[in-house]
Amino acid sequence: MADEDAALADIVRSSHDAIVGGTLDGVVTTWNRAAERLYGYRADEIIGRRAETLYPAGCRAGEAVVLRRLARGEQLDQYVTERVRRDGSAVLVRLSVSPVTDGTGKIVGVAAASRGVRATAGDSHTQGVLSSRTSHELRTPLQAVIGFTGTLLLRLPGPLNDEQERQLTLVQESARQLLSMINDLSRPGGG
């Protein structure tokens, strides 16, 4: 097991993706070299600080929602969003976040892997930022709709009749289609 842990640590350290670990309340606990290159902070400057240091002011509420959803064990799709580097400049990143579990399966933290996104030919930087912010703001409520309808369809709050189940299934399928369209449009070169 120690050899596996050491090998995994080497992979994280060597990755070209910025890999950041954090607590469920948003405190940075791990920071690899690629994160140093992408965001400009050395590990000793950011570990122990709140990850919201990297969030533009307009994105903080949405990121808090993401943390709460991960704490509940929800799986989230990759998304494009904006982050703030140490020098104050903005950077667009493709972000993948996952809950981190301990040996018993209890969620104990969050892992985020990110990579800078370059605008495609013909796109201005401003249009890319607007698109990423808009797509992120659209994804959050759609993912909530998908999650809530899933909870209802599992009958966790109580029984459903056939018509309620049919209607909820339609709502969930529509939300998934919209989410897929937003994901396609937010990819570099999408649309």
Side-chain angles (χ1 to χ4, degrees), residues 172-187:
Q172 190 177 57
E173 287 172 4
S174 296
R176 284 187 173 142
Q177 288 174 349
L178 285 171
L179 186 60
S180 178
M181 289 169 51
I182 291 165
N183 288 337
D184 289 346
L185 290 171
S186 67
R187 285 189 185 99

Side-chain angles (χ1 to χ4, degrees), residues 96-108:
S96 176
V97 290
S98 305
V100 174
T101 57
D102 65 11
T104 67
K106 178 182 175 191
I107 297 170
V108 295

Side-chain angles (χ1 to χ4, degrees), residues 3-44:
D3 289 342
E4 288 177 24
D5 289 344
L8 186 57
D10 289 341
I11 290 168
V12 169
R13 269 192 297 277
S14 303
S15 176
H16 291 291
D17 290 331
I19 300 176
V20 178
T23 63
L24 292 173
D25 60 350
V27 176
V28 176
T29 56
T30 56
W31 189 262
N32 73 349
R33 290 182 196 124
E36 290 182 357
R37 288 188 299 274
L38 181 61
Y39 298 117
Y41 289 94
R42 292 185 325 268
D44 65 326

Side-chain angles (χ1 to χ4, degrees), residues 45-59:
E45 294 176 306
I46 195 79
I47 291 176
R49 291 180 64 188
R50 299 195 59 78
E52 69 185 24
T53 301
L54 304 171
Y55 309 157
C59 291

